Amino acid sequence: MDFILKQNLSYKNIHIGAIATFYIIALLVRLISLHVADKCPAIETNYAFQVSAALVTGLGPALGALVAMFLFKRKTEYTLIGKSAWKSITTIVIPCIVFGIIGGWNLGVTCFWAFAYGLLEEYGWRGFLQYELRNLPVWQYVLIITVMWFLWHLNLNQRSVLTFFPLLLFASWGIGKVATDTHSLLFCAAFHGIVNFSKHGLLSDTPYFVAFIGIIAFWIITWYFVNISPKQH
């Protein structure tokens, strides 16, 4: 009986209207960006256009979250820097420097744009949606976010559904844990971004693979094992 009451209270704290508003805006922006991309073949050959198109696509979840939180007075404890400003900043800066050293200035900039795109998505999926569902059992909100995130990726013609859904399920759990542990959307964006960044064949080269593993290890050590707090006077 107590379990049922707790479940009912958990659902009562969820604002369905806010979630619906967030999702509709996220879907509409993505549909518009896909339509524009189909009508503009130049996007495929122009780097600046590719970056712009990607950022517009990622803008959907962020814009949806901002509108939903404004209209329905919803709050979130997940912020850009979360529980540590210096950890959040180094989480973003160090990988850009490392990949810039290994692959040149352009690769470092590409890494930065991958993180910027990740931040736009993560502001919506984790910053708003996960926080809105936070009182549900982990398996429930992870599954809900996974399904919504999966359907948001509407251009599935280039993906295998059998592999893509489990990947999003794992990401919803993993990045979701990062959000609950650190409250840092920059850290969430870094994990999101580096996965997208690494999909372009970079990991087949040993230096990039070593850098990738080293950066992940650096993040984990920094956030979970290093504790630098102000001195007490």
Side-chain angles (χ1 to χ4, degrees), residues 56-198:
V56 169
T57 301
L59 181 64
L63 181 62
L66 288 171
V67 172
M69 287 191 288
F70 175 77
L71 291 178
F72 299 97
K73 304 295 188 287
R74 309 306 288 175
K75 304 293 184 181
T76 180
E77 292 182 1
Y78 301 160
T79 64
L80 284 178
I81 61 174
K83 295 179 179 179
S84 173
W86 76 267
K87 289 181 180 181
S88 294
I89 293 170
T90 55
T91 293
I92 297 295
V93 172
I94 295 300
C96 295
I97 293 175
V98 169
F99 284 114
I101 292 173
I102 296 174
W105 169 259
N106 287 339
L107 193 63
V109 172
T110 300
C111 181
F112 171 80
W113 286 123
F115 291 161
Y117 172 84
L119 180 60
L120 291 173
E121 274 207 48
E122 290 306 316
Y123 191 87
W125 301 118
R126 250 56 62 179
F128 168 74
L129 185 57
Q130 179 173 308
Y131 191 77
E132 189 69 23
L133 302 174
R134 68 192 182 282
N135 291 322
L136 297 179
V138 174
W139 71 268
Q140 286 189 19
Y141 74 65
V142 165
L143 186 58
I144 291 170
I145 293 171
T146 300
V147 171
M148 294 176 68
W149 200 10
F150 176 76
L151 294 176
W152 179 78
H153 289 86
L154 295 176
N155 58 331
L156 296 175
N157 54 308
Q158 297 177 349
R159 297 185 176 95
S160 171
V161 173
L162 293 178
T163 57
F164 190 57
F165 186 86
L167 175 64
L168 287 184
L169 182 64
F170 179 75
S172 296
W173 170 79
I175 302 178
K177 180 167 176 55
V178 167
T180 56
D181 288 348
T182 70
H183 291 193
S184 171
L185 293 178
L186 283 178
F187 193 14
C188 294
F191 261 113
H192 188 141
I194 204 167
V195 171
N196 289 342
F197 178 70
S198 66

Side-chain angles (χ1 to χ4, degrees), residues 31-46:
L31 283 171
I32 292 170
S33 67
L34 291 175
H35 178 72
V36 171
D38 288 339
K39 297 296 182 180
C40 300
I43 290 178
E44 296 297 326
T45 58
N46 187 292

